[in-house]
Amino acid sequence: MSTTPKLMPLAVALFALGVVAIVAMFVAGERGLPVWVFAAGWLLAPAGLALGVFSAVRESRTRR
């Protein structure tokens, strides 16, 4: 039986990419970045966080 959730690495990767995009927005300022960087910052970090919470809850329920 595996104790590592299968979705958690994906959640961590999505969250990390979102945080990198957010940091890039602060470093570069409002101008000079493509739209996809702003979209990544707004969408990937919350999606990664939600997937991580979902994965943790799902894993805790299957262990009972």
Side-chain angles (χ1 to χ4, degrees):
M1 177 172 21
S2 174
T3 59
T4 304
K6 293 175 178 65
L7 291 176
M8 193 58 76
L10 177 63
V12 170
L14 285 176
F15 186 76
L17 287 173
V19 169
V20 167
I22 291 170
V23 169
M25 284 189 279
F26 281 111
V27 169
E30 291 183 16
R31 295 189 171 88
L33 290 176
V35 174
W36 65 266
V37 174
F38 291 102
W42 279 95
L43 297 175
L44 290 180
L49 181 64
L51 186 61
V53 169
F54 172 76
S55 175
V57 169
R58 188 175 126 192
E59 181 68 20
S60 70
R61 290 186 178 212
T62 58
R63 270 196 258 158
R64 281 185 177 178

